[in-house]
Every structure is written in structure tokens, then in C-alpha cells.
Amino acid sequence: MFVRLGISHRLCSPMDDAMKLTFYRCALLRYLVASLLLCFFPLLVSAQQDNQPTIRFVRNPDPAPEFKLAGLDGKPVTLADSKGKVVLVNFWASWCGPCRAEIPDLVELQKKYKDRLQILGLVVDDEDLDAIKKFAARFGINYPVALATNEIRLQYGGIPALPTSFVLDSEGRVVQKHEGLRDPVLYETEIRSLLGLPIGNVKVETFEDTGEIFLKNADRATELPGVDLSKLTPEQKTVALHKFNAESCTCDCDYTLAQCRIYDRDCKTSKAAVTKILAAITAAPHAAPASAAQPASPVASPSPEKPHE
């Protein structure tokens, strides 16, 4: 083949020279296009990664608070009975529209992963057992349902919004918390990831709990909802965070100022208190460092509903 091309080259006519020129031009164009693609390939990959769907789990998860409740069928409902399974603890109420909307999806998830997943429905603000039983039967709920006590609600952070679901890994640790109605695809992707099943082109990230899951971890936060710390020196910021975690809010929430800001960013009481603290710190000539608060990232604030005592 190469020999024939060589002979043809030696015997080419003016028309052959034109074809040859066209060939070289096309080859040069292909080379330039390929070079440009190679130059921009990292940017294309980066753009794809930026648009890549992502799920997030707590880096060092805390054990889920244990409970023992009587189910609608009279049988005990506990976390211990679900040992070794991925668990979804779903706080809900029959009068809650978003709760009703997600129940069919939870029923399907329980059915699909019945051997490795356990959904537990804990009812709050609703004590009419007969009505709840009728509701469960009408919706075909295929997982245990029980009434949550106020103590359990507080152990799980007060449950500021409904529905609220806690995702537990097979070791009984809380790795994620979701407030409000969520896409069932998100739940299934998290469940499959925790079960070691394929999740397609989904990235898994980890984060530090700074009160986002449990309010008791609010002392790890370095930023709080509605609190501007940008004008403080590092030493002043340390003092401010120490005070926010040491002083209690007086809005009857029984939380520290930091916890209340995370729990309810609309609370005027905690807002006024932290503003007063910031004013005092910035007015002082020098602020001495206090106990260091561990660095973390900002957290999202939930709805303003307060836990019932």
C-alpha cells in the first residue's frame, strides 16, 4: 500500500496535487480540533463533575437514640430489632399533607428492600389511635408505626418540621437527616449506597455535623444562621462562639443561643441576644480567647416550630 502511494506521488498530475493539498488541509484541521479538545478536556470534565448528582453522609456519625414504643399492632417498636439493616426513622402526622404525599413512596421502598431496609413511622402531634390505624390501613403502610413521646422527639432534636426522616446505616448511626417532602429517588440512592449497591453516576461526599443532624453538635459550628461574624477578629470570633454555646436562649426552647439559631433562625429572642453579645465584644478593646470551637461549615436552618414539652 505504501509503495503504491509512493508511485502515485511520483506520477501525480495537477489534479492530484489539488487533492493532496485538500487532504493535508483536512489533516491539519483534524489536528487542530483534536488539540483544542485536549486543551479543553479538563474543563469539560470539571463541568461534568460540577453537575454530577451528589449525596452526603455525616463523616463521624452519632448513634441513633434508642427507643421502645408500642406499635399499632401492640408489638414493640425498637431500633434494636432492626440491627444490621439500613433504617429510616420517619416522624410524621396523619394531618400533615407532605407526610401523606410521601407515604406511598415509603411503602414502595419498604417493599423493594424489605430484607435489608426497615422503615419506622413515628407519629407526632396525633394521639387518636383509631384514626391512625384506619389511616395506616387505607394507605397500606407495611412498616411498624408507633406514637412518639415528647422525650423521643427531644432526643432527636425537637423535630421542627414534618415530615422529618433520619437515615441510619447498618450500625445504627445517623448519617443523614431530611426535613420536609423529598424526592424518593434521593432516599433510594442513599439506601442503595449504604447497602453497597450500585448508584450509577452519583458522588458520595461526607460532612461534619455542626448541629445539622443533632443540635448537641452545634458547638462545632463556626457559622450560625443570621449571625454575621465576618467583622470579628479570629480571637473575637472564638469568644463569641463560646458565649453562644454557653448561654441559654430565653424563648422557652431550652436550647443554647447557638442551638436556637440553628433550630429557628426566625427566633427574635436569640437574635437579640447574639446581637448584644457581638456589640459587647466589638466594643471591647481586646478580646481574650475562650475555649476553641472546632471548625465546621454552615448549616441549614429548619422551620420555626418548637418542640412540645
Side-chain angles (χ1 to χ4, degrees):
M1 182 67 175
F2 290 107
V3 174
R4 292 180 60 188
L5 284 174
I7 294 173
S8 175
H9 173 67
R10 286 194 299 268
L11 300 176
C12 64
S13 64
M15 180 61 71
D16 293 330
D17 289 339
M19 294 177 64
K20 178 181 176 183
L21 181 60
T22 301
F23 171 80
Y24 282 128
R25 284 176 176 173
C26 292
L28 179 60
L29 180 61
R30 287 195 296 269
Y31 173 78
L32 291 174
V33 171
S35 299
L36 288 173
L37 287 175
L38 288 174
C39 290
F40 287 106
F41 182 73
L43 298 178
L44 294 173
V45 171
S46 177
Q48 290 179 345
Q49 290 177 345
D50 290 342
N51 296 326
Q52 185 178 9
T54 304
I55 58 175
R56 303 172 70 240
F57 293 134
V58 177
R59 186 174 301 112
N60 297 303
D62 294 316
E66 183 58 91
F67 53 80
K68 184 175 182 180
L69 303 168
L72 298 182
D73 56 2
K75 297 180 180 179
V77 176
T78 69
L79 287 179
D81 291 338
S82 303
K83 187 176 181 180
K85 295 183 178 181
V86 170
V87 178
L88 189 68
V89 180
N90 177 245
F91 288 87
W92 66 285
S94 60
W95 48 261
C96 167
C99 300
R100 295 196 300 270
E102 76 172 0
I103 285 179
D105 296 319
L106 298 182
V107 169
E108 287 302 312
L109 284 173
Q110 184 64 77
K111 185 186 302 182
K112 186 173 182 178
Y113 300 96
K114 59 182 179 180
D115 295 329
R116 304 180 67 183
L117 167 70
Q118 185 59 68
I119 298 176
L120 302 175
L122 302 188
V123 183
V124 299
D125 291 341
D126 197 342
E127 298 181 358
D128 189 341
L129 279 177
D130 290 335
I132 296 172
K133 288 179 180 179
K134 292 178 181 178
F135 180 92
R138 186 168 76 252
F139 278 79
I141 294 179
N142 55 355
Y143 48 84
V145 174
L147 296 181
T149 63
N150 287 337
E151 180 183 2
I152 291 175
R153 292 180 61 173
L154 292 174
Q155 287 177 343
Y156 277 83
I159 314 302
L162 293 177
T164 291
S165 295
F166 292 82
V167 183
L168 282 58
D169 63 14
S170 58
E171 297 180 37
R173 303 174 302 178
V174 180
V175 295
Q176 186 52 278
K177 171 186 176 182
H178 298 297
E179 295 178 357
L181 183 62
R182 297 301 179 100
D183 189 332
V185 174
L186 171 62
Y187 283 130
E188 183 166 13
T189 304
E190 291 176 342
I191 291 167
R192 291 182 64 85
S193 176
L194 293 172
L195 292 175
L197 299 175
I199 57 175
N201 185 36
V202 178
K203 182 168 59 175
V204 179
E205 294 181 345
T206 60
F207 66 97
E208 185 78 12
D209 178 21
T210 58
E212 188 174 353
I213 306 298
F214 289 114
L215 284 177
K216 68 179 182 179
N217 295 328
D219 58 355
R220 303 173 182 172
T222 58
E223 302 292 338
L224 294 172
V227 182
D228 184 9
L229 304 176
S230 62
K231 298 179 181 179
L232 302 182
T233 65
E235 293 77 13
Q236 289 175 330
K237 186 174 182 179
T238 299
V239 172
L241 289 170
H242 174 74
K243 288 182 176 293
F244 297 159
N245 285 287
E247 298 186 16
S248 298
C249 184
T250 58
C251 72
D252 296 328
C253 65
D254 294 328
Y255 293 144
T256 65
L257 291 174
Q259 291 172 335
C260 189
R261 293 310 302 160
I262 293 172
Y263 185 89
D264 180 10
R265 67 169 59 198
D266 295 324
C267 177
K268 296 180 180 179
T269 304
S270 62
K271 178 66 174 178
V274 298
T275 300
K276 184 177 180 180
I277 290 174
L278 290 177
I281 291 175
T282 53
H286 297 286
S291 314
Q294 298 179 2
S297 56
V299 299
S301 64
S303 68
E305 180 183 335
K306 298 294 182 182
H308 295 272
E309 297 295 337

